[in-house]
């Protein structure tokens, strides 16, 4: 059963993207909301997730996503990181994949383990191309499966980050973070001014790189976006020791528009009331401090999607 409800913040004239919502977070709900989108994954399907740092407990668990991955006959895909954690070295990354239980249930592909490729970008304000894991070329369709939460650099992590930083090779991550200044990751320059670049330039580069991945799969068989709002902290799954969870689990959202999906998730956080058991204060402060919503604004500006949406509740 599907019930339509307009978000108050989006009651404006003009086209609205559909964002599907279920308040139930379960393996069955993930499959239901995927089917509600009405877009069938076909061909060689990549399911893009974050496997999380080894000591981070908040990543999307294999038992939660198993039914969906099996439904689409997908392969879990990831790329290496651009910081000295558990996933910068591929041998260590495979240990995390194993310890977190992904390889016991799914085929897993670290897409930049052996090579990388450059794909075109439409917005060349900062980037001349996007550098992604070479195995991206092995897939026809992508399910961009996101864990919505905070992020130290981007303010928040959702669909746009999973598409951009998530699909970028280690060199690609350096290229995006530096807003086009560094085409090769140099460990000695990690988190220097050269690597970090300017904040808005980094956020705009993320939007451009996200659009590159979207355009790649739209030229193939397609791409969809699903975000799970659970275990939400001010920190990303890339943080080894994240801050405590202060927000209640909310639900699962899905869309064919990544801009609308991220906007809907941010709006939901903004609408949370502060209680002893549910406090969005820290997450909202981080999004504001890092100009996080600028990524969404820029993505809309370059034509990746729309911030106007309507919520369609899936019962």
């Amino acid at each position: 059963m599907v019930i339509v409800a307009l978000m108050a913040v989006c009651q404006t004239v003009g086209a609205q993207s559909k964002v599907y919502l279920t308040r139930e977070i379960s393996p069955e709900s993930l499959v239901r909301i995927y089917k509600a989108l009405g877009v069938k994954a076909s061909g060689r399907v990549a399911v893009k997730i974050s496997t999380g740092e080894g000591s981070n407990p908040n990543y999307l668990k294999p038992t939660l996503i198993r039914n969906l991955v099996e439904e689409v006959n997908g392969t879990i895909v990831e790329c290496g990181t651009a910081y000295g954690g558990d996933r910068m070295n591929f041998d260590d990354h495979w240990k995390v994949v194993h310890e977190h239980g992904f390889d016991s249930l799914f085929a897993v592909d670290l897409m930049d383990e052996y090579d990388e490729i450059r794909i075109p970008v439409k917005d060349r304000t900062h980037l001349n191309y996007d550098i992604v894991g070479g195995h991206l070329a092995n897939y026809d369709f992508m399910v961009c499966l996101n864990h919505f939460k905070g992020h130290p650099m981007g303010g928040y992590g959702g669909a746009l980050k999973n598409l951009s930083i998530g699909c970028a090779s280690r060199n690609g991550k350096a290229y995006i973070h530096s807003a086009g200044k560094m085409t090769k990751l140099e460990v000695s320059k990690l988190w220097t001014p050269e690597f970090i670049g300017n904040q808005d330039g980094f956020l705009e580069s993320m939007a451009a790189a996200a659009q590159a991945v979207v355009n790649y799969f739209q030229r193939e068989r397609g791409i969809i976006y699903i975000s799970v709002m659970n275990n939400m902290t001010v920190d990303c799954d890339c943080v080894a020791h994240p801050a405590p969870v202060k927000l209640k689990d909310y639900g699962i959202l899905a869309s064919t528009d990544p801009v609308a999906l991220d906007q809907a998730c941010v709006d939901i956080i903004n609408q949370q009331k502060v209680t002893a058991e549910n406090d969005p204060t820290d997450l909202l402060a981080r999004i504001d401090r890092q100009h996080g919503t600028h990524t969404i604004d820029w993505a809309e500006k370059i034509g990746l999607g729309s911030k106007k949406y309507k919520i369609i509740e899936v019962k």
Side-chain angles (χ1 to χ4, degrees):
M1 180 180 179
V2 178
I3 302 173
V4 178
L6 294 182
M7 293 290 288
V9 294
C10 295
Q11 292 178 341
T12 57
V13 177
Q16 292 180 324
S17 296
K18 295 177 181 178
V19 176
Y20 293 86
L21 165 68
T22 174
R23 296 299 302 272
E24 177 183 285
I25 301 176
S26 70
E28 295 76 19
S29 291
L30 270 172
V31 174
R32 278 197 295 271
I33 206 163
Y34 155 68
K35 290 183 176 180
L37 286 171
V39 180
K40 184 174 176 59
S42 61
R44 298 166 297 179
V45 179
V47 180
K48 175 65 188 73
I49 66 163
S50 169
T51 53
E53 284 296 290
S55 55
N56 189 306
N58 298 324
Y59 61 93
L60 297 180
K61 303 301 187 291
T63 49
L64 174 64
I65 69 174
R66 179 175 185 172
N67 289 10
L68 174 63
V69 178
E70 291 179 349
E71 177 72 24
V72 301
N73 191 26
T75 297
I76 297 295
V77 300
E78 255 271 60
C79 284
T81 60
Y83 57 86
D86 296 331
R87 295 176 295 153
M88 188 175 188
N89 174 284
F90 289 110
D91 287 340
D92 291 339
H93 198 160
W94 277 115
K95 290 178 183 177
V96 173
V97 168
H98 181 70
E99 289 169 359
H100 286 181
F102 289 100
D103 59 345
S104 65
L105 296 178
F106 317 115
V108 179
D109 182 2
L110 302 183
M111 294 191 293
D112 64 333
E113 185 173 13
Y114 301 108
D115 58 3
E116 62 189 21
I117 58 174
R118 296 179 177 183
I119 60 175
V121 292
K122 180 180 178 181
D123 170 36
R124 302 185 70 174
T125 304
H126 305 286
L127 308 181
N128 293 316
Y129 40 75
D130 186 24
I131 312 173
V132 298
H135 290 182
L136 191 80
N138 294 340
Y139 300 98
D140 308 304
F141 190 101
M142 176 172 279
V143 178
C144 184
L145 182 55
N146 323 295
H147 177 211
F148 186 86
K149 68 285 178 190
H151 189 271
M153 294 293 294
Y156 80 94
L160 296 175
K161 178 182 175 293
N162 200 15
L163 289 165
S164 56
I165 293 294
C167 292
S169 67
R170 291 180 295 185
N171 290 330
K173 288 177 171 64
Y175 192 47
I176 294 168
H177 270 286
S178 65
K181 293 180 180 179
M182 294 176 62
T183 59
K184 184 176 179 59
L185 176 64
E186 298 180 49
V187 175
S188 63
K189 294 183 179 179
L190 281 177
W191 311 116
T192 63
E194 182 180 1
F195 179 80
I196 295 173
N198 68 84
Q199 179 65 8
D200 284 356
F202 158 57
L203 301 175
E204 292 162 8
S205 297
M206 278 208 297
Q211 187 178 45
V213 174
V214 171
N215 287 346
Y216 175 88
F217 280 103
Q218 286 179 339
R219 287 194 295 268
E220 299 295 327
R221 299 196 184 186
I223 182 169
I224 58 174
Y225 318 94
I226 302 173
S227 291
V228 182
M229 299 185 75
N230 72 341
N231 297 324
M232 293 178 286
T233 82
V234 69
D235 290 320
C236 179
D237 299 347
C238 64
V239 176
H241 302 288
V245 173
K246 294 184 178 181
L247 281 159
K248 290 182 178 179
D249 292 352
Y250 189 85
I252 304 171
L253 293 85
S255 183
T256 57
D257 181 344
V259 178
L261 181 58
D262 275 10
Q263 184 66 59
C265 290
V266 170
D267 286 343
I268 286 169
I269 299 300
N270 271 291
Q271 293 162 6
Q272 298 301 298
K273 295 181 179 180
V274 177
T275 67
E277 297 80 24
N278 191 56
D279 189 351
T281 305
D282 291 347
L283 178 51
L284 290 173
R286 173 161 282 178
I287 293 172
D288 183 62
R289 184 169 60 251
Q290 298 303 111
H291 304 172
T293 56
H294 184 63
T295 310
I296 302 173
D297 296 339
W298 194 263
E300 183 183 55
K301 178 180 178 179
I302 64 178
L304 179 51
S306 173
K307 294 194 297 181
K308 298 176 182 178
Y309 63 92
K310 63 180 179 180
I311 290 288
I312 302 176
E313 190 174 353
V314 178
K315 291 288 187 179

